[in-house]
Amino acid sequence: CWRYKMSIALLWLMFTLAVCSLFIPENIAAPIFFGVMVLLYITCIILIYNKLRSGFRWAKFYVLSWIPLIFGAAIQPMELTGVLPYTFATRHAFLVAILCEVILMAMALADRVRYQRERALYHATHTQQTRLLNSSKLKQAFMALQSQNRSTTLCLIKIRHFNSLNTIITSSQGYTLIKHIAKELELELSHEREFTNLETDLNTSPRLADLSSGVFACISTKTQNQEMLETLLTKIISSLPKQYEIKGLNLQLSYSIGISSAGKTNDFEYWLKRGYLALKKAKGSVNQVGSSSNGNNLMMDVALAAKLQQAIKTNQLALYYQPQINLLSNHVSGAEALLRWPDPTYSNLSIEELIILAEHTGIINELTLWVIEQACKDIVELTKNGYNEHTISVNLSAKNLTINNLAEKVENILIKYQVPAHLLKFELTESAFVDSQDALIKLVDELTALGIKVVLDDFGTGYASLSYLVNYHFSELKIDKSFVFDLPNNPTHQVIVQTAIDMAHNLNLSITIEGVETQEIHHLLKDMNADSAQGYLYAKALPYTDYLHFLKSQYSLKMLDSSF
């Protein structure tokens, strides 16, 4: 800018005159020196004024430091020119002025350091764009409450589909939206005493933190049951704006809630992660509320993932088998392999949540390959015991598609254990069909080419299930248990199941019905001409040794058939 250029020009002028003063008399150099000082003062005043306009808060001491210097500099030439009489005070006025300036400059420097530290702290505890408190302040409040042994329940409130909104609005418009919602939400929270202040500012008393991407956080310190807190938060979000206008466009807004209780963990990251998991659950919730309790069944941490990985490497996991009954012969035709962790320490852990943990930590593929290999080992053992046509089904998820050359790895396992390919089945759920259609079509074709049967699991629950039958080479369909529990008393479900059975047979596919728990359902499925069934009526998932005993006693099923 022009001020910078003016300062550079003045510096060059002073440097040039300083060199010239070495060769010219003092009586000529002194007036020039004092004349240049006037320009220097003017330049400094312009620069300081410009800084003050931009919030140069610590400049007050710097400005004051020039006052004694100006007066001291004025007294010295006046004494030299005879305007003021020569005295000790007038002779050393400039030196005194310099000492005062040094003191005030030191104070200005100290104030500047303090100001910079305050700014750094502000930026560390506030989001730069919205100027709201961030996760650092949330963590500070959490640790303070934990040290006082007070109840700490994290409440996350998210603007639903905010990331999608960001594709049609600008960043600045998005930040304005966040600040607008935050203002309304802060007002609602201020009416409830159970939400703690995150900052000791008596003027604002903020209770809300901005976690970015349209997610807000607050902390409830009241000891209460989950339902009461959910009711309160639902009431709060019902008062938030449902519409927001941007350049004539009325955006429709909705919100979801995630709740996480801290317990005695003293781990902020774990507490916050559980809150995000609860938000994820809320996506598919009718009331848009998700919660994550502090029980041992949800220990989503790195330590548990490391133990799970170690269990995979040391074969501490096990496969349990639930039999699949051929409804025509009433014999066991196969079984579905279900993962278990027999260690008593982890007996209360949900396998579904362990699978989620494995997916989040990237060990799901390692776990899947272990399951496939263990299933092949058990097929070999079953063959040695005379069950030459007994099949085993293994579940695959969408995450397993990231395994490089999965079909080749499966083929190597089959060769390693000399397992006939037709005795191994893979069950695919609809979640595996969403992200990568082409990769999945290729995988199904490769597995089918090996002679492995691929099963479409939970058929009937997906909106596009019929299209899968056209694009994929499935060998079997599996009807979801949600259609089976009330089958005898639900004519609609009877029509759906019968139609699925007839369609599968017309497409030369076999069909398995899961969730069979009563003899009445078993008898009804036989009349419908279903191929196979599985459920608690026949057996729950059993360890391999117990399952082998079950197979040896399967002749009793024939005797039961008469009662069916």
Side-chain angles (χ1 to χ4, degrees), residues 152-154 225-227 230 258-265 270-271 273-279 281 290-300 348 350 353:
T152 51
T153 302
L154 174 66
N225 60 47
Q226 197 84 11
E227 290 75 16
E230 289 180 4
I259 301 171
S260 170
S261 300
K264 299 179 181 179
T265 176
Y270 174 58
W271 181 62
K273 179 169 59 177
R274 289 164 57 83
Y276 275 105
L277 287 173
L279 265 185
K281 289 181 182 179
S291 62
S292 180
S293 63
N294 196 50
N296 291 330
N297 62 331
L298 191 60
M299 298 174 61
M300 293 297 188
N348 294 328
S350 165
E353 288 166 347

PDB file of all heavy atoms in Angstrom, residues 152-154 225-227 230 258-265 270-271 273-279 281 290-300 348 350 353:
ATOM      1  N   THR A 152     -22.616 -36.240  33.570  1.00  0.00           N
ATOM      2  CA  THR A 152     -22.318 -35.579  32.300  1.00  0.00           C
ATOM      3  C   THR A 152     -22.927 -36.372  31.156  1.00  0.00           C
ATOM      4  O   THR A 152     -22.450 -37.457  30.819  1.00  0.00           O
ATOM      5  CB  THR A 152     -20.794 -35.453  32.077  1.00  0.00           C
ATOM      6  OG1 THR A 152     -20.187 -36.739  32.278  1.00  0.00           O
ATOM      7  CG2 THR A 152     -20.187 -34.454  33.022  1.00  0.00           C
ATOM      8  N   THR A 153     -23.975 -35.828  30.578  1.00  0.00           N
ATOM      9  CA  THR A 153     -24.633 -36.461  29.438  1.00  0.00           C
ATOM     10  C   THR A 153     -24.490 -35.547  28.225  1.00  0.00           C
ATOM     11  O   THR A 153     -24.938 -34.393  28.254  1.00  0.00           O
ATOM     12  CB  THR A 153     -26.115 -36.726  29.721  1.00  0.00           C
ATOM     13  OG1 THR A 153     -26.236 -37.560  30.875  1.00  0.00           O
ATOM     14  CG2 THR A 153     -26.766 -37.430  28.535  1.00  0.00           C
ATOM     15  N   LEU A 154     -23.845 -36.037  27.206  1.00  0.00           N
ATOM     16  CA  LEU A 154     -23.631 -35.253  25.987  1.00  0.00           C
ATOM     17  C   LEU A 154     -24.897 -35.277  25.146  1.00  0.00           C
ATOM     18  O   LEU A 154     -25.475 -36.340  24.891  1.00  0.00           O
ATOM     19  CB  LEU A 154     -22.465 -35.834  25.183  1.00  0.00           C
ATOM     20  CG  LEU A 154     -22.215 -35.199  23.817  1.00  0.00           C
ATOM     21  CD1 LEU A 154     -21.763 -33.758  23.975  1.00  0.00           C
ATOM     22  CD2 LEU A 154     -21.178 -35.992  23.033  1.00  0.00           C
ATOM     23  N   ASN A 225     -33.641 -40.270  33.851  1.00  0.00           N
ATOM     24  CA  ASN A 225     -33.683 -41.393  32.925  1.00  0.00           C
ATOM     25  C   ASN A 225     -33.640 -40.895  31.487  1.00  0.00           C
ATOM     26  O   ASN A 225     -33.905 -39.722  31.197  1.00  0.00           O
ATOM     27  CB  ASN A 225     -34.922 -42.267  33.164  1.00  0.00           C
ATOM     28  CG  ASN A 225     -36.221 -41.490  32.990  1.00  0.00           C
ATOM     29  OD1 ASN A 225     -36.387 -40.763  32.015  1.00  0.00           O
ATOM     30  ND2 ASN A 225     -37.148 -41.630  33.936  1.00  0.00           N
ATOM     31  N   GLN A 226     -33.305 -41.798  30.595  1.00  0.00           N
ATOM     32  CA  GLN A 226     -33.085 -41.454  29.189  1.00  0.00           C
ATOM     33  C   GLN A 226     -34.341 -40.873  28.546  1.00  0.00           C
ATOM     34  O   GLN A 226     -34.263 -39.932  27.755  1.00  0.00           O
ATOM     35  CB  GLN A 226     -32.656 -42.715  28.435  1.00  0.00           C
ATOM     36  CG  GLN A 226     -32.012 -42.454  27.092  1.00  0.00           C
ATOM     37  CD  GLN A 226     -30.541 -42.148  27.228  1.00  0.00           C
ATOM     38  OE1 GLN A 226     -29.954 -42.324  28.284  1.00  0.00           O
ATOM     39  NE2 GLN A 226     -29.944 -41.669  26.177  1.00  0.00           N
ATOM     40  N   GLU A 227     -35.497 -41.410  28.899  1.00  0.00           N
ATOM     41  CA  GLU A 227     -36.737 -40.985  28.256  1.00  0.00           C
ATOM     42  C   GLU A 227     -37.048 -39.521  28.559  1.00  0.00           C
ATOM     43  O   GLU A 227     -37.502 -38.771  27.678  1.00  0.00           O
ATOM     44  CB  GLU A 227     -37.907 -41.874  28.712  1.00  0.00           C
ATOM     45  CG  GLU A 227     -37.862 -43.302  28.189  1.00  0.00           C
ATOM     46  CD  GLU A 227     -36.820 -44.153  28.899  1.00  0.00           C
ATOM     47  OE1 GLU A 227     -36.352 -43.725  29.984  1.00  0.00           O
ATOM     48  OE2 GLU A 227     -36.453 -45.209  28.365  1.00  0.00           O
ATOM     49  N   GLU A 230     -34.741 -37.334  26.458  1.00  0.00           N
ATOM     50  CA  GLU A 230     -35.167 -37.375  25.062  1.00  0.00           C
ATOM     51  C   GLU A 230     -36.403 -36.502  24.850  1.00  0.00           C
ATOM     52  O   GLU A 230     -36.502 -35.785  23.846  1.00  0.00           O
ATOM     53  CB  GLU A 230     -35.457 -38.818  24.640  1.00  0.00           C
ATOM     54  CG  GLU A 230     -34.222 -39.694  24.503  1.00  0.00           C
ATOM     55  CD  GLU A 230     -34.559 -41.110  24.091  1.00  0.00           C
ATOM     56  OE1 GLU A 230     -35.749 -41.378  23.838  1.00  0.00           O
ATOM     57  OE2 GLU A 230     -33.635 -41.944  24.025  1.00  0.00           O
ATOM     58  N   GLY A 258     -28.600 -36.895  19.274  1.00  0.00           N
ATOM     59  CA  GLY A 258     -27.782 -38.011  19.753  1.00  0.00           C
ATOM     60  C   GLY A 258     -27.437 -37.791  21.216  1.00  0.00           C
ATOM     61  O   GLY A 258     -27.052 -36.689  21.608  1.00  0.00           O
ATOM     62  N   ILE A 259     -27.594 -38.826  22.030  1.00  0.00           N
ATOM     63  CA  ILE A 259     -27.364 -38.714  23.475  1.00  0.00           C
ATOM     64  C   ILE A 259     -26.323 -39.740  23.897  1.00  0.00           C
ATOM     65  O   ILE A 259     -26.389 -40.907  23.514  1.00  0.00           O
ATOM     66  CB  ILE A 259     -28.671 -38.948  24.264  1.00  0.00           C
ATOM     67  CG1 ILE A 259     -29.731 -37.928  23.847  1.00  0.00           C
ATOM     68  CG2 ILE A 259     -28.431 -38.867  25.764  1.00  0.00           C
ATOM     69  CD1 ILE A 259     -31.105 -38.205  24.418  1.00  0.00           C
ATOM     70  N   SER A 260     -25.342 -39.287  24.698  1.00  0.00           N
ATOM     71  CA  SER A 260     -24.286 -40.181  25.172  1.00  0.00           C
ATOM     72  C   SER A 260     -23.990 -39.887  26.633  1.00  0.00           C
ATOM     73  O   SER A 260     -23.659 -38.750  26.986  1.00  0.00           O
ATOM     74  CB  SER A 260     -23.014 -39.993  24.337  1.00  0.00           C
ATOM     75  OG  SER A 260     -21.923 -40.679  24.914  1.00  0.00           O
ATOM     76  N   SER A 261     -24.123 -40.900  27.494  1.00  0.00           N
ATOM     77  CA  SER A 261     -23.805 -40.747  28.921  1.00  0.00           C
ATOM     78  C   SER A 261     -22.353 -41.101  29.151  1.00  0.00           C
ATOM     79  O   SER A 261     -21.850 -42.098  28.615  1.00  0.00           O
ATOM     80  CB  SER A 261     -24.709 -41.657  29.754  1.00  0.00           C
ATOM     81  OG  SER A 261     -26.065 -41.322  29.541  1.00  0.00           O
ATOM     82  N   ALA A 262     -21.664 -40.303  29.974  1.00  0.00           N
ATOM     83  CA  ALA A 262     -20.225 -40.471  30.141  1.00  0.00           C
ATOM     84  C   ALA A 262     -19.861 -41.571  31.123  1.00  0.00           C
ATOM     85  O   ALA A 262     -18.881 -42.269  30.935  1.00  0.00           O
ATOM     86  CB  ALA A 262     -19.597 -39.156  30.592  1.00  0.00           C
ATOM     87  N   GLY A 263     -20.622 -41.741  32.196  1.00  0.00           N
ATOM     88  CA  GLY A 263     -20.238 -42.738  33.194  1.00  0.00           C
ATOM     89  C   GLY A 263     -18.928 -42.378  33.865  1.00  0.00           C
ATOM     90  O   GLY A 263     -18.633 -41.225  34.135  1.00  0.00           O
ATOM     91  N   LYS A 264     -18.072 -43.370  34.115  1.00  0.00           N
ATOM     92  CA  LYS A 264     -16.811 -43.143  34.827  1.00  0.00           C
ATOM     93  C   LYS A 264     -15.595 -43.278  33.913  1.00  0.00           C
ATOM     94  O   LYS A 264     -14.482 -43.482  34.358  1.00  0.00           O
ATOM     95  CB  LYS A 264     -16.688 -44.136  35.977  1.00  0.00           C
ATOM     96  CG  LYS A 264     -17.799 -44.016  37.001  1.00  0.00           C
ATOM     97  CD  LYS A 264     -17.634 -45.055  38.100  1.00  0.00           C
ATOM     98  CE  LYS A 264     -18.755 -44.953  39.126  1.00  0.00           C
ATOM     99  NZ  LYS A 264     -18.621 -45.969  40.197  1.00  0.00           N
ATOM    100  N   THR A 265     -15.804 -43.151  32.614  1.00  0.00           N
ATOM    101  CA  THR A 265     -14.710 -43.426  31.687  1.00  0.00           C
ATOM    102  C   THR A 265     -13.621 -42.361  31.688  1.00  0.00           C
ATOM    103  O   THR A 265     -12.467 -42.649  31.427  1.00  0.00           O
ATOM    104  CB  THR A 265     -15.268 -43.569  30.258  1.00  0.00           C
ATOM    105  OG1 THR A 265     -14.188 -43.741  29.358  1.00  0.00           O
ATOM    106  CG2 THR A 265     -16.045 -42.317  29.849  1.00  0.00           C
ATOM    107  N   TYR A 270     -13.905 -40.752  23.649  1.00  0.00           N
ATOM    108  CA  TYR A 270     -14.807 -41.904  23.675  1.00  0.00           C
ATOM    109  C   TYR A 270     -16.251 -41.448  23.870  1.00  0.00           C
ATOM    110  O   TYR A 270     -17.182 -41.910  23.202  1.00  0.00           O
ATOM    111  CB  TYR A 270     -14.365 -42.832  24.809  1.00  0.00           C
ATOM    112  CG  TYR A 270     -15.259 -44.018  25.084  1.00  0.00           C
ATOM    113  CD1 TYR A 270     -15.538 -44.938  24.083  1.00  0.00           C
ATOM    114  CD2 TYR A 270     -15.800 -44.222  26.351  1.00  0.00           C
ATOM    115  CE1 TYR A 270     -16.348 -46.029  24.338  1.00  0.00           C
ATOM    116  CE2 TYR A 270     -16.612 -45.303  26.611  1.00  0.00           C
ATOM    117  CZ  TYR A 270     -16.883 -46.207  25.604  1.00  0.00           C
ATOM    118  OH  TYR A 270     -17.690 -47.284  25.857  1.00  0.00           O
ATOM    119  N   TRP A 271     -16.432 -40.510  24.787  1.00  0.00           N
ATOM    120  CA  TRP A 271     -17.739 -39.940  25.080  1.00  0.00           C
ATOM    121  C   TRP A 271     -18.328 -39.256  23.840  1.00  0.00           C
ATOM    122  O   TRP A 271     -19.498 -39.432  23.509  1.00  0.00           O
ATOM    123  CB  TRP A 271     -17.556 -38.963  26.235  1.00  0.00           C
ATOM    124  CG  TRP A 271     -18.753 -38.251  26.750  1.00  0.00           C
ATOM    125  CD1 TRP A 271     -19.869 -38.795  27.312  1.00  0.00           C
ATOM    126  CD2 TRP A 271     -18.941 -36.833  26.804  1.00  0.00           C
ATOM    127  NE1 TRP A 271     -20.732 -37.813  27.717  1.00  0.00           N
ATOM    128  CE2 TRP A 271     -20.182 -36.587  27.413  1.00  0.00           C
ATOM    129  CE3 TRP A 271     -18.166 -35.742  26.406  1.00  0.00           C
ATOM    130  CZ2 TRP A 271     -20.683 -35.309  27.635  1.00  0.00           C
ATOM    131  CZ3 TRP A 271     -18.652 -34.472  26.631  1.00  0.00           C
ATOM    132  CH2 TRP A 271     -19.894 -34.260  27.230  1.00  0.00           C
ATOM    133  N   LYS A 273     -17.392 -39.763  20.687  1.00  0.00           N
ATOM    134  CA  LYS A 273     -17.587 -40.754  19.619  1.00  0.00           C
ATOM    135  C   LYS A 273     -18.912 -41.490  19.789  1.00  0.00           C
ATOM    136  O   LYS A 273     -19.629 -41.744  18.814  1.00  0.00           O
ATOM    137  CB  LYS A 273     -16.415 -41.737  19.625  1.00  0.00           C
ATOM    138  CG  LYS A 273     -16.519 -42.834  18.575  1.00  0.00           C
ATOM    139  CD  LYS A 273     -15.216 -43.599  18.474  1.00  0.00           C
ATOM    140  CE  LYS A 273     -14.824 -44.221  19.775  1.00  0.00           C
ATOM    141  NZ  LYS A 273     -13.601 -45.023  19.676  1.00  0.00           N
ATOM    142  N   ARG A 274     -19.246 -41.795  21.039  1.00  0.00           N
ATOM    143  CA  ARG A 274     -20.510 -42.457  21.316  1.00  0.00           C
ATOM    144  C   ARG A 274     -21.675 -41.544  20.942  1.00  0.00           C
ATOM    145  O   ARG A 274     -22.718 -42.001  20.480  1.00  0.00           O
ATOM    146  CB  ARG A 274     -20.581 -42.835  22.800  1.00  0.00           C
ATOM    147  CG  ARG A 274     -19.642 -43.960  23.189  1.00  0.00           C
ATOM    148  CD  ARG A 274     -19.477 -44.012  24.708  1.00  0.00           C
ATOM    149  NE  ARG A 274     -20.750 -44.155  25.369  1.00  0.00           N
ATOM    150  CZ  ARG A 274     -21.389 -45.309  25.557  1.00  0.00           C
ATOM    151  NH1 ARG A 274     -20.837 -46.410  25.116  1.00  0.00           N
ATOM    152  NH2 ARG A 274     -22.535 -45.371  26.173  1.00  0.00           N
ATOM    153  N   GLY A 275     -21.499 -40.242  21.147  1.00  0.00           N
ATOM    154  CA  GLY A 275     -22.531 -39.302  20.746  1.00  0.00           C
ATOM    155  C   GLY A 275     -22.751 -39.300  19.242  1.00  0.00           C
ATOM    156  O   GLY A 275     -23.893 -39.272  18.770  1.00  0.00           O
ATOM    157  N   TYR A 276     -21.660 -39.356  18.478  1.00  0.00           N
ATOM    158  CA  TYR A 276     -21.789 -39.409  17.015  1.00  0.00           C
ATOM    159  C   TYR A 276     -22.417 -40.728  16.562  1.00  0.00           C
ATOM    160  O   TYR A 276     -23.178 -40.758  15.583  1.00  0.00           O
ATOM    161  CB  TYR A 276     -20.429 -39.210  16.358  1.00  0.00           C
ATOM    162  CG  TYR A 276     -20.054 -37.758  16.177  1.00  0.00           C
ATOM    163  CD1 TYR A 276     -19.105 -37.150  16.992  1.00  0.00           C
ATOM    164  CD2 TYR A 276     -20.663 -36.984  15.195  1.00  0.00           C
ATOM    165  CE1 TYR A 276     -18.761 -35.809  16.837  1.00  0.00           C
ATOM    166  CE2 TYR A 276     -20.320 -35.649  15.028  1.00  0.00           C
ATOM    167  CZ  TYR A 276     -19.380 -35.071  15.848  1.00  0.00           C
ATOM    168  OH  TYR A 276     -19.061 -33.752  15.689  1.00  0.00           O
ATOM    169  N   LEU A 277     -22.098 -41.827  17.252  1.00  0.00           N
ATOM    170  CA  LEU A 277     -22.745 -43.098  16.938  1.00  0.00           C
ATOM    171  C   LEU A 277     -24.247 -43.009  17.196  1.00  0.00           C
ATOM    172  O   LEU A 277     -25.057 -43.554  16.440  1.00  0.00           O
ATOM    173  CB  LEU A 277     -22.129 -44.224  17.774  1.00  0.00           C
ATOM    174  CG  LEU A 277     -20.730 -44.686  17.372  1.00  0.00           C
ATOM    175  CD1 LEU A 277     -20.182 -45.688  18.389  1.00  0.00           C
ATOM    176  CD2 LEU A 277     -20.739 -45.314  15.979  1.00  0.00           C
ATOM    177  N   ALA A 278     -24.612 -42.329  18.279  1.00  0.00           N
ATOM    178  CA  ALA A 278     -26.028 -42.142  18.580  1.00  0.00           C
ATOM    179  C   ALA A 278     -26.698 -41.297  17.502  1.00  0.00           C
ATOM    180  O   ALA A 278     -27.839 -41.562  17.106  1.00  0.00           O
ATOM    181  CB  ALA A 278     -26.179 -41.477  19.948  1.00  0.00           C
ATOM    182  N   LEU A 279     -25.992 -40.269  16.995  1.00  0.00           N
ATOM    183  CA  LEU A 279     -26.534 -39.460  15.895  1.00  0.00           C
ATOM    184  C   LEU A 279     -26.749 -40.301  14.645  1.00  0.00           C
ATOM    185  O   LEU A 279     -27.730 -40.138  13.918  1.00  0.00           O
ATOM    186  CB  LEU A 279     -25.577 -38.313  15.573  1.00  0.00           C
ATOM    187  CG  LEU A 279     -25.814 -36.953  16.223  1.00  0.00           C
ATOM    188  CD1 LEU A 279     -24.830 -35.938  15.680  1.00  0.00           C
ATOM    189  CD2 LEU A 279     -27.238 -36.477  16.011  1.00  0.00           C
ATOM    190  N   LYS A 281     -27.425 -43.470  14.607  1.00  0.00           N
ATOM    191  CA  LYS A 281     -28.622 -44.273  14.844  1.00  0.00           C
ATOM    192  C   LYS A 281     -29.883 -43.456  14.592  1.00  0.00           C
ATOM    193  O   LYS A 281     -30.892 -43.982  14.123  1.00  0.00           O
ATOM    194  CB  LYS A 281     -28.639 -44.791  16.280  1.00  0.00           C
ATOM    195  CG  LYS A 281     -27.616 -45.867  16.592  1.00  0.00           C
ATOM    196  CD  LYS A 281     -27.761 -46.319  18.036  1.00  0.00           C
ATOM    197  CE  LYS A 281     -26.723 -47.371  18.401  1.00  0.00           C
ATOM    198  NZ  LYS A 281     -26.845 -47.795  19.813  1.00  0.00           N
ATOM    199  N   GLY A 290     -31.434 -40.669  18.763  1.00  0.00           N
ATOM    200  CA  GLY A 290     -30.599 -41.856  18.954  1.00  0.00           C
ATOM    201  C   GLY A 290     -29.854 -41.728  20.263  1.00  0.00           C
ATOM    202  O   GLY A 290     -29.456 -40.639  20.656  1.00  0.00           O
ATOM    203  N   SER A 291     -29.688 -42.830  20.952  1.00  0.00           N
ATOM    204  CA  SER A 291     -28.985 -42.788  22.237  1.00  0.00           C
ATOM    205  C   SER A 291     -27.937 -43.878  22.279  1.00  0.00           C
ATOM    206  O   SER A 291     -28.035 -44.890  21.595  1.00  0.00           O
ATOM    207  CB  SER A 291     -29.964 -42.953  23.399  1.00  0.00           C
ATOM    208  OG  SER A 291     -30.606 -44.209  23.333  1.00  0.00           O
ATOM    209  N   SER A 292     -26.927 -43.643  23.086  1.00  0.00           N
ATOM    210  CA  SER A 292     -25.845 -44.600  23.255  1.00  0.00           C
ATOM    211  C   SER A 292     -25.599 -44.754  24.743  1.00  0.00           C
ATOM    212  O   SER A 292     -25.046 -43.873  25.387  1.00  0.00           O
ATOM    213  CB  SER A 292     -24.578 -44.098  22.554  1.00  0.00           C
ATOM    214  OG  SER A 292     -23.525 -45.001  22.712  1.00  0.00           O
ATOM    215  N   SER A 293     -26.035 -45.859  25.300  1.00  0.00           N
ATOM    216  CA  SER A 293     -25.879 -46.078  26.734  1.00  0.00           C
ATOM    217  C   SER A 293     -24.431 -46.363  27.069  1.00  0.00           C
ATOM    218  O   SER A 293     -23.605 -46.614  26.208  1.00  0.00           O
ATOM    219  CB  SER A 293     -26.755 -47.253  27.182  1.00  0.00           C
ATOM    220  OG  SER A 293     -26.332 -48.440  26.546  1.00  0.00           O
ATOM    221  N   ASN A 294     -24.116 -46.384  28.345  1.00  0.00           N
ATOM    222  CA  ASN A 294     -22.736 -46.572  28.776  1.00  0.00           C
ATOM    223  C   ASN A 294     -22.457 -48.011  29.200  1.00  0.00           C
ATOM    224  O   ASN A 294     -21.533 -48.289  29.938  1.00  0.00           O
ATOM    225  CB  ASN A 294     -22.409 -45.615  29.936  1.00  0.00           C
ATOM    226  CG  ASN A 294     -20.924 -45.493  30.166  1.00  0.00           C
ATOM    227  OD1 ASN A 294     -20.179 -45.253  29.234  1.00  0.00           O
ATOM    228  ND2 ASN A 294     -20.481 -45.673  31.394  1.00  0.00           N
ATOM    229  N   GLY A 295     -23.285 -48.933  28.748  1.00  0.00           N
ATOM    230  CA  GLY A 295     -23.094 -50.324  29.130  1.00  0.00           C
ATOM    231  C   GLY A 295     -21.868 -50.929  28.492  1.00  0.00           C
ATOM    232  O   GLY A 295     -21.275 -50.402  27.560  1.00  0.00           O
ATOM    233  N   ASN A 296     -21.486 -52.102  28.969  1.00  0.00           N
ATOM    234  CA  ASN A 296     -20.292 -52.775  28.450  1.00  0.00           C
ATOM    235  C   ASN A 296     -20.492 -53.307  27.043  1.00  0.00           C
ATOM    236  O   ASN A 296     -19.557 -53.774  26.420  1.00  0.00           O
ATOM    237  CB  ASN A 296     -19.908 -53.936  29.381  1.00  0.00           C
ATOM    238  CG  ASN A 296     -19.393 -53.436  30.717  1.00  0.00           C
ATOM    239  OD1 ASN A 296     -18.820 -52.363  30.788  1.00  0.00           O
ATOM    240  ND2 ASN A 296     -19.634 -54.206  31.760  1.00  0.00           N
ATOM    241  N   ASN A 297     -21.771 -53.282  26.564  1.00  0.00           N
ATOM    242  CA  ASN A 297     -22.034 -53.839  25.242  1.00  0.00           C
ATOM    243  C   ASN A 297     -21.679 -52.865  24.130  1.00  0.00           C
ATOM    244  O   ASN A 297     -21.907 -53.151  22.977  1.00  0.00           O
ATOM    245  CB  ASN A 297     -23.510 -54.221  25.124  1.00  0.00           C
ATOM    246  CG  ASN A 297     -24.415 -53.014  25.276  1.00  0.00           C
ATOM    247  OD1 ASN A 297     -24.062 -52.068  25.957  1.00  0.00           O
ATOM    248  ND2 ASN A 297     -25.579 -53.066  24.664  1.00  0.00           N
ATOM    249  N   LEU A 298     -21.125 -51.700  24.448  1.00  0.00           N
ATOM    250  CA  LEU A 298     -20.757 -50.745  23.402  1.00  0.00           C
ATOM    251  C   LEU A 298     -19.413 -50.133  23.722  1.00  0.00           C
ATOM    252  O   LEU A 298     -19.290 -48.950  23.967  1.00  0.00           O
ATOM    253  CB  LEU A 298     -21.836 -49.662  23.270  1.00  0.00           C
ATOM    254  CG  LEU A 298     -21.713 -48.739  22.051  1.00  0.00           C
ATOM    255  CD1 LEU A 298     -21.789 -49.553  20.773  1.00  0.00           C
ATOM    256  CD2 LEU A 298     -22.777 -47.676  22.064  1.00  0.00           C
ATOM    257  N   MET A 299     -18.386 -50.953  23.762  1.00  0.00           N
ATOM    258  CA  MET A 299     -17.047 -50.469  24.100  1.00  0.00           C
ATOM    259  C   MET A 299     -16.262 -50.212  22.820  1.00  0.00           C
ATOM    260  O   MET A 299     -15.398 -50.980  22.422  1.00  0.00           O
ATOM    261  CB  MET A 299     -16.336 -51.488  24.977  1.00  0.00           C
ATOM    262  CG  MET A 299     -17.035 -51.729  26.308  1.00  0.00           C
ATOM    263  SD  MET A 299     -16.264 -53.051  27.249  1.00  0.00           S
ATOM    264  CE  MET A 299     -14.620 -52.417  27.476  1.00  0.00           C
ATOM    265  N   MET A 300     -16.655 -49.132  22.142  1.00  0.00           N
ATOM    266  CA  MET A 300     -16.040 -48.810  20.864  1.00  0.00           C
ATOM    267  C   MET A 300     -14.714 -48.087  21.074  1.00  0.00           C
ATOM    268  O   MET A 300     -14.628 -46.874  20.928  1.00  0.00           O
ATOM    269  CB  MET A 300     -16.993 -47.943  20.036  1.00  0.00           C
ATOM    270  CG  MET A 300     -18.236 -48.653  19.584  1.00  0.00           C
ATOM    271  SD  MET A 300     -17.841 -50.033  18.470  1.00  0.00           S
ATOM    272  CE  MET A 300     -19.479 -50.501  17.942  1.00  0.00           C
ATOM    273  N   ASN A 348     -20.599 -60.504  27.208  1.00  0.00           N
ATOM    274  CA  ASN A 348     -21.740 -59.592  27.151  1.00  0.00           C
ATOM    275  C   ASN A 348     -21.720 -58.675  25.934  1.00  0.00           C
ATOM    276  O   ASN A 348     -22.640 -57.880  25.749  1.00  0.00           O
ATOM    277  CB  ASN A 348     -21.788 -58.727  28.419  1.00  0.00           C
ATOM    278  CG  ASN A 348     -22.070 -59.545  29.657  1.00  0.00           C
ATOM    279  OD1 ASN A 348     -22.786 -60.552  29.589  1.00  0.00           O
ATOM    280  ND2 ASN A 348     -21.512 -59.135  30.787  1.00  0.00           N
ATOM    281  N   SER A 350     -22.111 -57.448  22.175  1.00  0.00           N
ATOM    282  CA  SER A 350     -22.935 -57.779  21.016  1.00  0.00           C
ATOM    283  C   SER A 350     -22.043 -58.007  19.800  1.00  0.00           C
ATOM    284  O   SER A 350     -21.175 -57.187  19.497  1.00  0.00           O
ATOM    285  CB  SER A 350     -23.919 -56.642  20.735  1.00  0.00           C
ATOM    286  OG  SER A 350     -24.485 -56.764  19.462  1.00  0.00           O
ATOM    287  N   GLU A 353     -22.228 -55.208  17.256  1.00  0.00           N
ATOM    288  CA  GLU A 353     -21.425 -54.032  17.567  1.00  0.00           C
ATOM    289  C   GLU A 353     -19.939 -54.297  17.371  1.00  0.00           C
ATOM    290  O   GLU A 353     -19.176 -53.404  17.014  1.00  0.00           O
ATOM    291  CB  GLU A 353     -21.720 -53.574  18.994  1.00  0.00           C
ATOM    292  CG  GLU A 353     -23.105 -52.931  19.105  1.00  0.00           C
ATOM    293  CD  GLU A 353     -23.566 -52.779  20.539  1.00  0.00           C
ATOM    294  OE1 GLU A 353     -22.942 -53.373  21.433  1.00  0.00           O
ATOM    295  OE2 GLU A 353     -24.563 -52.081  20.754  1.00  0.00           O
TER     296      GLU A 353
END
